[in-house]
Amino acid sequence: VAFEALRLALPTLHGTGAAPFSGGFDLKSLVANLFLLQGMGVENHLSWNAPSWSISAEFFTYLLFAGVVFATGRRAWIWFVAAAVTAPFFLLAFSTRHMDVSFDFGFIRCLYGFSLGALLAWFQHDSIAEARQALAGGAGRVAWTLAELAMIAVIAMFVSVAGTNDAGNAAPVVFALALYLFAHEGGLISALLSSRPMLMLGSLSY
């Protein structure tokens, strides 16, 4: 805001770009950003701090999550299933850019992925313990390793073919399955990813 005000006060700073407080830096968009509404469908363009549309979508998704849990308690998972099932159909019906978007339907896409993540956290603990016990030992390690390799192949194929078509709407489901599989940490790929050098690389990249 200070920089836009400076551009307004000093015309020599205008350059050849848009006028101060116009385009993605207009006052209407500023109000939307101050209230974290820029990812909630009130804007038709990126504005001010452009990547913050994702914070907007996440903020209201977290509020909705808290409200659902407080209101429904142990039955909250039903609402997350409903969100995860209906969101991709909503995107298929109304989004023309598939998953190659930013502020467009950001809240719906966030609710879609977040609901799947909440369901994983809700149900995976007991199933992981049972699966580890059932597939313990050498044969189990081979089975997990093959499953992990297959999942990597599925992800590579999915990313290569589904980025610019309706199949891209399945991305949260594909990666939720990957998270579920690798959360078991049963195969050699998981062991490699859990090694000290890989953990350091992960921390540095993040």
Side-chain angles (χ1 to χ4, degrees), residues 95-173:
S95 177
T96 59
R97 297 177 59 193
H98 315 295
M99 293 296 280
D100 184 23
V101 289
S102 53
F103 60 89
D104 293 343
F105 302 103
F107 174 68
I108 300 298
R109 288 181 290 111
C110 185
L111 188 62
Y112 179 15
F114 184 89
S115 296
L116 288 171
L119 289 170
L120 281 179
W122 202 288
F123 291 111
Q124 75 176 2
H125 185 270
D126 292 339
S127 66
I128 287 177
E130 293 171 2
R132 283 176 174 169
Q133 185 176 4
L135 291 175
R141 177 56 64 95
V142 171
W144 280 117
T145 301
L146 291 176
E148 290 175 354
L149 289 172
M151 180 55 70
I152 291 174
V154 168
I155 291 173
M157 182 172 63
F158 178 82
V159 170
S160 66
V161 303
T164 57
N165 54 59
D166 286 340
N169 290 311
V173 175

Side-chain angles (χ1 to χ4, degrees), residues 58-103:
E58 291 162 10
F59 178 74
F60 286 99
T61 298
Y62 298 160
L63 287 181
L64 181 61
F65 169 76
V68 168
V69 171
F70 278 118
T72 62
R74 292 183 179 273
R75 295 185 178 181
W77 66 271
I78 298 174
W79 294 92
F80 302 141
V81 169
V85 170
T86 57
F89 291 103
F90 181 93
L91 294 173
L92 283 171
F94 297 104
S95 177
T96 59
R97 297 177 59 193
H98 315 295
M99 293 296 280
D100 184 23
V101 289
S102 53
F103 60 89

